[in-house]
Amino acid sequence: MSTEKKLVSILMGSASDFERVKPCMEVLQNYGIPHEVHVRSAHRTPQETADYVKDAENRGVEVFIAAAGMAAHLAGAVAAHSFLPVIGLPLAAGPLNGLDALYATVMMPPGLPVATVGVNGAANAAHLAVQIMQGAHPEFKNLLRDKRESMKEKVLRQDAELPR
């Protein structure tokens, strides 16, 4: 078992969310950012969620990513129990296809902010976590710079390959 501190804690409301959360994990892995992934529910495991969140800073966690669909109160529940940054990842589910999750995640009361990415925006949640942590980890700025340069090169390559 690794004793390496996990800098990012990814929480999902249900194991069925795993496939939509996977791009977040892949981005963090590509950056080499240690992270952990757990299922916690604001509604079905409220005490376990609170206990986990309250102990996270002692374990080295610096940022939470909370993914949930429909009622989507997981990010808010995390923010209520921690002073660490929380990124809400609303997931498309149910009859409103993620719009309810987006509203529930972004509409937090004053003093309990949750940064929120787009519906199913798992990769952006990971990129935002790295941006947040680069203040404490200056080496992350180079990772972000390299990623943006790679994105730029891809667009320019695609432009050059267009039939004219």
Side-chain angles (χ1 to χ4, degrees):
M1 183 152 119
S2 172
T3 58
E4 178 183 40
K5 287 185 177 182
K6 309 300 184 188
L7 299 179
V8 178
S9 174
I10 303 168
L11 301 175
M12 60 188 121
S14 169
S16 64
D17 298 331
F18 184 78
E19 286 303 314
R20 288 172 292 171
V21 171
K22 222 162 121 176
C24 178
M25 298 163 53
E26 291 167 353
V27 168
L28 293 171
Q29 287 167 349
N30 288 339
Y31 280 132
I33 307 294
H35 58 280
E36 57 190 28
V37 182
H38 294 281
V39 174
R40 291 293 185 275
S41 171
H43 303 105
R44 294 179 296 272
T45 61
Q47 189 58 55
E48 293 82 355
T49 300
D51 293 344
Y52 170 82
V53 168
K54 289 175 183 176
D55 185 53
E57 195 167 359
N58 294 330
R59 295 189 319 274
V61 170
E62 296 181 14
V63 177
F64 287 102
I65 297 173
M70 295 174 66
H73 294 291
L74 184 57
V78 171
H81 294 289
S82 178
F83 294 105
L84 296 175
V86 178
I87 300 168
L89 171 55
L91 299 176
L96 299 180
N97 204 29
L99 191 57
D100 49 347
L102 176 63
Y103 287 156
T105 305
V106 77
M107 296 304 296
M108 291 296 296
L112 288 168
V114 169
T116 307
V117 296
V119 175
N120 291 344
N124 265 353
H127 292 297
L128 181 55
V130 177
Q131 285 181 306
I132 289 169
M133 293 185 300
Q134 56 109 12
H137 302 272
E139 66 276 17
F140 291 0
K141 188 175 279 188
N142 290 331
L143 297 174
L144 294 165
R145 188 176 288 121
D146 291 347
K147 175 63 178 171
R148 296 247 177 118
E149 185 64 27
S150 170
M151 291 166 48
K152 178 182 99 174
E153 289 171 6
K154 180 179 177 182
V155 169
L156 294 176
R157 192 171 47 255
Q158 289 171 338
D159 176 66
E161 293 171 358
L162 282 176
R164 307 277 182 196

